[in-house]
Amino acid sequence: MDFFYPNYTNDMWRIFGLCFFDDKMYFVDEEHKTFRQKKIELLLKEHGIGIYDTATAVVRTQGTAADKDLEVVEPTDLEALLERIPHCVAIVTTGEKATSVFCEHFAVKAPKVGSFTEFSFGSRVLRLYRMPSSSRAYPMKVERKAAYYQPMFDEIVK
């Protein structure tokens, strides 16, 4: 995989398009049924947004990517990751599995969808935001999903 959320049916880059450009098709290459990776990378770098997984190895127990069918074999070393990004002020999880892995690791109570919980990491106080899944399997229109993401981006993005 060349970049995160490459599946054409996933709404993540449509959500970003709505939140940053008021255009859900901003990052969509309809002709090739893909996304404009260079534009995505430019936006992420410009705003200091990093994307990573809470697990570096998973097993799909039923052949699907549904959270309930994923078994974490090797969790990401989240502390080492956060140590490498000292200017990080917030973490955003978008799925039940990612949220539970993160919360279990840091002994943090999971926030409700659309809200955040603060937690300490070393001398920093960070926010853990819980956003709706960008999967089309999550039964919510992309515009409504973006409405959850927008206030979070307004609060934390440069």
Side-chain angles (χ1 to χ4, degrees):
M1 164 176 22
D2 292 330
F3 68 109
F4 285 87
Y5 303 105
N7 186 327
Y8 188 70
T9 62
N10 190 287
D11 282 331
M12 186 57 76
W13 303 121
R14 292 172 184 86
I15 292 167
F16 270 71
L18 283 165
C19 290
F20 288 93
F21 301 100
D22 199 26
D23 179 3
K24 72 179 177 183
M25 301 305 283
Y26 185 82
F27 295 113
V28 178
D29 179 346
E30 286 184 277
E31 180 183 346
H32 299 103
K33 293 199 182 299
T34 189
F35 299 102
R36 296 184 172 95
Q37 184 177 344
K38 296 293 182 207
K39 280 186 167 186
I40 291 167
E41 290 172 356
L42 183 65
L43 174 91
L44 297 177
K45 286 178 187 173
E46 181 180 326
H47 293 288
I49 299 170
I51 299 177
Y52 206 74
D53 288 318
T54 56
T56 53
V58 297
V59 171
R60 293 181 179 198
T61 61
Q62 300 297 316
T64 78
D67 281 356
K68 67 179 180 54
D69 297 333
L70 297 179
E71 177 187 336
V72 174
V73 175
E74 184 180 333
T76 296
D77 185 343
L78 297 169
E79 292 186 20
L81 182 62
L82 285 174
E83 286 172 4
R84 293 184 65 190
I85 47 176
H87 298 292
C88 178
V89 297
I91 308 298
V92 179
T93 58
T94 62
E96 190 63 40
K97 182 67 74 174
T99 302
S100 65
V101 167
F102 194 91
C103 288
E104 286 173 24
H105 182 82
F106 287 103
V108 176
K109 185 178 179 204
K112 293 179 182 177
V113 172
S115 63
F116 68 88
T117 298
E118 291 188 334
F119 69 100
S120 295
F121 177 73
S123 62
R124 293 187 276 173
V125 175
L126 304 173
R127 287 182 175 184
L128 170 64
Y129 284 86
R130 172 76 169 98
M131 291 293 119
S133 172
S134 58
S135 169
R136 289 274 176 94
Y138 191 77
M140 183 184 288
K141 288 185 151 201
V142 67
E143 291 82 4
R144 184 148 182 252
K145 291 178 186 181
Y148 278 93
Y149 282 71
Q150 189 68 64
M152 179 267 305
F153 282 135
D154 290 344
E155 290 174 9
I156 65 171
V157 173
K158 308 179 212 178

